[in-house]
Amino acid sequence: MQTSELTKPHRSITATTAFLAGPALMAGYGVVRLIGRAVGDYGPGVWWSVAHVLFLAGVLTFVPVFLGLCRTAGVRGGRRARLRAARAVGLLGAAAVAVQAVIDLVVGFLAADEEAMSDMFEKVQDVPGVMPAVYTVVPMLFWLGLLALVTQLAFFRRDDVPGWSPLLVLAAVVMMAMSLDLLAVGALCIGLALHPMRRGLRG
């Protein structure tokens, strides 16, 4: 009992911090990416590496976000099972996105120029199954899992999750699907959507 009581506040602090840090790191990736492209130096080098370190850190920081959303008190039975299913989908997507970020970092480190980067990416993506598993299909589960969790909580926990939160997450997903140039704005929308839920995790 004492161990549980001592660790519960620590878990809550970690999750609530992640609710801010995850979107902030994603937004940082979007901003650094835009700056690198604006100065014409978004290939192998500092801008690429910094952007993708932020990208990887942001994805990993969303793991406690998924866990925290699913751990919200007061949701039992079939509702809890549906939340856990959405969490599993989101975490699977997060794993795929993390692998993508690692590949991008390694290629950026090894390649001498943009042409070499393109050749390396082509070789990686030509491996059977890599494109859907790492770049196209499975990574989308990250965003869909997040949207499913927030949408369900908007119905199950209306006192903690406002109705506009899933709409902001949906807007963010649509914007980022349209263009990575909108990633920073999309991350801001997700941060705003998650902010009210931090209170529920403290309870």
Side-chain angles (χ1 to χ4, degrees):
M1 178 66 71
Q2 290 180 345
T3 301
S4 175
E5 290 174 352
L6 287 172
T7 57
K8 182 177 178 181
H10 174 71
R11 291 198 303 265
S12 296
I13 291 170
T14 300
T16 54
T17 301
F19 274 43
L20 297 176
L25 289 165
M26 286 289 195
Y29 162 60
V31 170
V32 173
R33 178 182 178 275
L34 287 175
I35 294 174
R37 290 169 63 88
V39 300
D41 190 28
Y42 193 64
V46 174
W47 293 107
W48 177 274
S49 296
V50 171
H52 285 82
V53 166
L54 291 172
F55 180 38
L56 178 59
V59 173
L60 295 178
T61 305
F62 266 91
V63 172
V65 172
F66 283 117
L67 298 177
L69 288 173
C70 195
R71 203 164 48 226
T72 302
V75 179
R76 297 290 183 268
R79 291 180 172 184
R80 192 166 187 81
R82 290 194 290 273
L83 285 175
R84 286 176 173 173
R87 177 186 65 182
V89 168
L91 291 174
L92 178 60
V97 177
V99 171
Q100 181 185 142
V102 170
I103 292 173
D104 290 351
L105 276 169
V106 172
V107 169
F109 179 76
L110 295 177
D113 51 38
E114 291 187 17
E115 184 177 352
M117 280 183 70
S118 297
D119 291 340
M120 289 184 185
F121 278 127
E122 186 175 346
K123 290 178 181 178
V124 171
Q125 294 169 3
D126 281 344
V127 175
V130 167
M131 278 299 290
V134 180
Y135 287 96
T136 55
V137 179
V138 181
M140 284 302 299
L141 299 180
F142 175 82
W143 306 109
L144 294 178
L146 180 63
L147 178 59
L149 276 170
V150 175
T151 301
Q152 290 182 75
L153 288 172
F155 284 99
F156 301 159
R157 294 294 304 273
R158 295 181 182 180
D159 292 341
D160 296 321
V161 185
W164 46 262
S165 283
L167 296 178
L168 276 177
V169 176
L170 176 61
V173 173
V174 171
M175 281 190 287
M176 289 184 282
M178 290 172 55
S179 173
L180 286 179
D181 291 344
L182 299 174
L183 198 149
V185 179
L188 176 61
C189 289
I190 290 175
L192 292 173
L194 294 178
H195 183 72
M197 301 174 216
R198 298 172 71 239
R199 294 192 302 271
L201 287 175
R202 296 192 184 104

